[in-house]
Amino acid sequence: GNEGICAVVGNFHVLTFDAEQHRERRSGAFWLVNSPQVKIQGLFKFTSRFPGVACLTGLIVTGDSISGHTLRFEHIGPAEWQTGTRVTWDNHEVLPGFPSEYSSPDGILRGRKQSVDAGSAHKVGGTLPVFEFYLGTDLFVYIVMGPDFASAAVRMKKPPGAQDGVCGNFNCVGADDVQAQVQARGFAQPLSAAESLFGGVPGVDAQPAPDRPCDPPLEVEARRICADAGSRELIDACAYDSCRAGSTRVTPVLEAMDRML
């Protein structure tokens, strides 16, 4: 059909609308979706949990499909989880409480912040904060919080005309959404300050750390926790993120994110 899902999970794993997977590692603002009707940028930073590879910390959605409104989600810290996160609609804070709901006067946005009991669906228990945003009739954004990072899924109908970005060009051809192709089209580079919707782009505050062999006991334990993440690719991604973090402390969050997204 003409509806698809793009997911950004953990430290910048991307599943495109055309079901191709790739990974980015640099910090900064990136186009996830760039079309005349829908514009979505993601902000990626190095965090205390993932100091060597960038993670999603912010998301901005705007465009003609939502009448020019702007939804902004961002973990600003210093507190972790939802306490350090701020959501605005046209620069006015919404969803300040936990849990909370918000509907814009014109009905374009219906948002909700609530907790999900991961223990009801996953082997590892725990309560995760999630954000749900229904934008107009054709766009839904779902965000799962980690301590100082997030994962997000964008479900939308394919808009008329061309689109592109880290989430791919949504042309039902996965082969042209591999990382080399996305890079060749200019979407694997952080945006300039002038292009960023975040009011300037953060400097690259560390070089991405090179991949190194995972500690074998850590990998075994991470794969045990990640076993319910879904496909082999998602299990591998979940275990990889745990190895990058150097601890299984965040693994239950990653596993739950992969399952929910």
Side-chain angles (χ1 to χ4, degrees):
N2 65 345
E3 185 175 81
I5 296 176
C6 174
V8 180
V9 182
N11 50 47
F12 216 167
H13 302 280
V14 180
L15 177 65
T16 72
F17 288 112
D18 295 326
E20 184 59 54
Q21 296 192 50
H22 63 93
R23 182 199 308 273
E24 303 293 343
R25 297 178 62 179
R26 301 180 64 182
S27 67
F30 291 77
W31 280 115
L32 300 185
V33 177
N34 187 11
S35 79
Q37 293 79 23
V38 180
K39 297 184 180 296
I40 304 176
Q41 287 187 5
L43 183 64
F44 297 84
K45 295 182 178 180
F46 300 99
T47 70
S48 62
R49 302 303 173 96
F50 290 100
V53 64
C55 295
L56 179 68
T57 61
L59 198 74
I60 288 180
V61 184
T62 188
D64 292 344
S65 70
I66 57 172
S67 302
H69 292 293
T70 300
L71 173 71
R72 179 169 179 158
F73 164 94
E74 189 171 0
H75 182 268
I76 56 177
E80 293 187 332
W81 304 97
Q82 73 279 358
T83 307
T85 300
R86 188 168 186 259
V87 178
T88 62
W89 178 247
D90 295 337
N91 294 319
H92 297 287
E93 186 172 7
V94 297
L95 304 178
F98 187 70
S100 58
E101 296 184 359
Y102 173 79
S103 294
S104 63
D106 60 5
I108 297 293
L109 170 67
R110 291 178 293 121
R112 179 168 59 180
K113 178 168 63 175
Q114 62 180 345
S115 61
V116 171
D117 186 358
S120 64
H122 314 293
K123 291 193 300 185
V124 178
T127 299
L128 297 177
V130 299
F131 296 78
E132 299 176 348
F133 302 106
Y134 295 86
L135 296 141
T137 58
D138 298 332
L139 180 59
F140 172 67
V141 178
Y142 183 72
I143 298 174
V144 184
M145 279 300 304
D148 56 1
F149 62 93
S151 290
V154 176
R155 186 182 72 215
M156 57 182 263
K157 290 185 178 179
K158 179 175 172 57
Q163 75 171 65
D164 214 333
V166 172
C167 282
N169 55 19
F170 206 173
N171 65 350
C172 300
V173 179
D176 59 9
D177 285 343
V178 297
Q179 188 161 359
Q181 293 286 335
V182 173
Q183 185 169 2
R185 298 198 299 269
F187 289 99
Q189 300 296 322
L191 296 169
S192 69
E195 296 171 305
S196 171
L197 300 176
F198 287 91
V201 179
V204 177
D205 45 13
Q207 289 298 318
D211 282 331
R212 58 185 183 275
C214 188
D215 179 61
L218 170 60
E219 183 173 9
V220 169
E221 178 63 9
R223 287 189 176 277
R224 183 189 68 79
I225 299 173
C226 295
D228 282 348
S231 67
R232 186 180 71 178
E233 290 80 5
L234 287 175
I235 293 172
D236 288 346
C238 176
Y240 174 88
D241 287 345
S242 302
C243 290
R244 296 289 298 188
S247 169
T248 57
R249 185 179 177 189
V250 298
T251 310
V253 176
L254 295 166
E255 186 270 338
M257 288 177 172
D258 288 334
R259 283 289 304 274
M260 292 174 187
L261 297 173

